[in-house]
C-alpha cells in the first residue's frame, strides 16, 4: 500500500512558477476563483459566497495535507507571491497507487502555458516522489481546454459516463482521463 508524507511540505518550482502551500492570506484570490461563475462552469461544486467560504476551503485543504490524504498547491509566478490558480492531487486510493488531479486558473493567465507547466511539475512529483502508478482527471465534455491540456500531457480518455452526476437539478456527463506512470 502507498504511504504518503507531506512533511516537509513540497514546494515545486518550474521555469516560471512556484507551487507553494495554500495559506489563509490567499483567501481573497481563492474566493475570486471559486466564486467566478465562468471559471467554475465545468466544476460541479457550489460557488463560494464570501471570504469565510474561502478560508474554510483553505483550512480543509490544509487539514487533508496534515493527515497525508491529499495535497493542493497555490500556483504563483516566480518573484510574485500572489495565487493565480490551484492544482492538487486528491481522491487518493492508497491501495491502488492512484489519485485524481484537479486544477483551476485565473482567466488572465489562460492560454499562456501556465497550467501545462504546473501540471507537468505535479505529475513528476506524483510519479517520482509519491510513487503513484496512475493519475486520473474527471472532465466535463464541454471543457475542451481541459481535455486538450490532458491529452497534450499524454493522458488517455478511458471512459465517457453519460448523465452519471446529478448537480443543480440536472444530470451531467463525465469523461475520465488517466495517465500511467512513465517510470516503470
Amino acid at each position: 500500500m502507498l504511504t504518503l508524507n507531506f512533511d516537509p511540505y513540497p514546494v515545486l518550482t518550474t521555469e516560471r512558477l512556484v507551487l507553494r502551500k495554500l495559506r489563509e492570506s490567499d483567501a481573497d484570490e481563492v474566493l475570486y476563483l471559486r466564486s467566478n461563475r465562468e471559471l467554475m462552469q465545468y466544476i460541479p461544486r457550489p460557488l463560494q459566497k464570501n471570504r469565510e467560504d474561502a478560508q474554510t476551503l483553505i483550512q480543509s485543504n490544509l487539514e487533508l495535507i496534515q493527515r497525508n490524504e491529499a495535497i493542493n498547491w497555490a500556483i504563483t509566478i516566480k518573484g510574485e507571491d500572489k495565487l493565480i490558480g490551484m492544482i492538487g492531487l486528491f481522491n487518493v486510493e492508497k491501495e491502488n497507487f492512484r489519485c485524481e488531479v484537479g486544477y483551476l486558473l485565473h482567466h488572465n493567465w489562460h492560454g499562456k502555458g501556465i497550467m501545462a507547466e504546473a501540471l507537468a511539475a505535479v505529475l513528476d512529483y506524483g510519479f517520482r516522489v509519491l510513487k503513484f502508478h496512475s493519475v486520473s482527471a474527471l472532465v466535463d465534455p464541454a471543457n475542451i481546454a481541459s481535455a486538450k491540456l490532458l491529452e497534450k500531457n499524454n493522458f488517455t480518455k478511458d471512459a465517457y459516463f453519460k448523465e452519471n452526476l446529478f448537480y443543480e437539478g440536472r444530470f451531467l456527463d463525465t469523461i475520465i482521463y488517466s495517465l500511467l506512470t512513465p517510470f516503470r
Side-chain angles (χ1 to χ4, degrees), residues 4 9 103 118 138 159 181:
L4 302 179
Y9 184 86
Y103 39 80
L138 278 59
T181 181

Side-chain angles (χ1 to χ4, degrees), residues 58-69:
I58 291 168
Q59 189 57 44
S60 67
N61 276 285
L62 294 175
E63 289 168 6
L64 288 170
I65 292 165
Q66 187 174 25
R67 292 192 310 262
N68 295 306
E69 293 177 8

